Amino acid sequence: MSRFFTTIEQTSDEDLARIYELARGPFDDTTLSGQGVALVFERPSLRTRAASSSAVSEMGGFTTFFSDEEIGLDTRESAEDVGRTLAQTYAICAARVRHHEVFARIAAATREQMSLINLLSDVAHPTQAVADVLTLAEHFCGGDVAGLAQLKVAYVGDATNVTRSLAVALLRLGADVTVGAPDGYQLTPGGLEDPHAVRGGGTLRLSDSAQGAVAGAHAVYTDAWVSMGFEEETAQRRVDLAAFRVTSELMARANPSAVLLHCLPAHRGDEITDEVLDSPASLVWRQVFHRRSAMRGVLRWMKEEK
Ligand code: CP
Ligand code: NVA
């Protein structure tokens, strides 16, 4: 039985609750005993590769890593044929892709026989969002994700793939999310992983002021100004986003006990200062820790009886 975890938006509240619950279970089990997970990375990674490979082996499975240079999705051969090939050997394919639509193409080509996990695409980073929810729940409410309702979370900077998945996950739990970003870098409605489309959860607010966004926030989150694939825009982005750097002065406008989150890698001196990243308010290393918890939750959920 295959399952798909490619966006938070497309995962039901019930399944998300189960993933959060399973993520908190003990480290060792035999859920993946003898089963293979293909790790396909079209883009670089440190945390995601580490979390995925360690979670799989803790659960008795094995991984094979495939880089973009080796398999060349849609260059050496079609994404469909890559999917058909991997499905002969692996129960699960976990992939970091340039174009999100590749997941639907692989699912169709393999007749949904192989489970798929999105390890970051141009629109979403759902396993990161699970880790972020676990980190916030651990800090604010003893691990109970339901306790995040009404938490005020401010995201500051470029509204990225990470922002979208984070916002959808938090809004679904009833948290209030404010995104502070300049014109041209703000969340826009539509497409997959659209926080504007979340109904009945928390409140989404957009602001063109970093100071306005963080006012009273319990948690402040930021991500790179230059995401993978946008390297040619580096100089312009540094100019456009300069007023959205997370500094100690900005953190002082948040709640006095506010915490700081960043998916990493950090670009110290750009989107965040050393002082904030290395401050006691920073939960970034717990986020890294929970990347592996998140993978355990997703993998266990995939292998549960429906
Ligand atoms: N946060 C994150 O996905 O890190 P990597 O790109 O190093 O995997
Ligand atoms: N928004 C960043 C996240 C890296 C983990 C990127 O896509 O490069």
Side-chain angles (χ1 to χ4, degrees), residues 4-61:
F4 302 91
F5 187 71
T6 57
T7 64
I8 298 290
E9 187 177 279
Q10 292 168 310
T11 309
S12 71
D13 284 339
E14 189 187 0
D15 286 340
L16 283 171
R18 189 70 185 137
I19 288 168
Y20 296 136
E21 186 183 335
L22 290 167
R24 298 177 65 199
F27 273 41
D28 295 311
D29 66 33
T30 53
T31 307
L32 291 174
S33 189
Q35 296 189 48
V37 177
L39 298 179
V40 174
F41 280 80
E42 281 197 282
R43 292 199 184 283
S45 167
L46 172 58
R47 282 143 286 268
T48 309
R49 184 173 171 184
S52 309
S53 52
S54 53
V56 171
S57 59
E58 278 158 12
M59 295 164 68

Side-chain angles (χ1 to χ4, degrees), residues 96 120-121 125 128 160-162 223-224 226-228 263-265:
R96 170 165 285 196
L120 183 145
S121 69
H125 198 0
Q128 176 74 53
T160 61
N161 41 9
V162 168
D223 180 12
V226 185
S227 284
M228 293 179 274
C263 56
L264 305 178

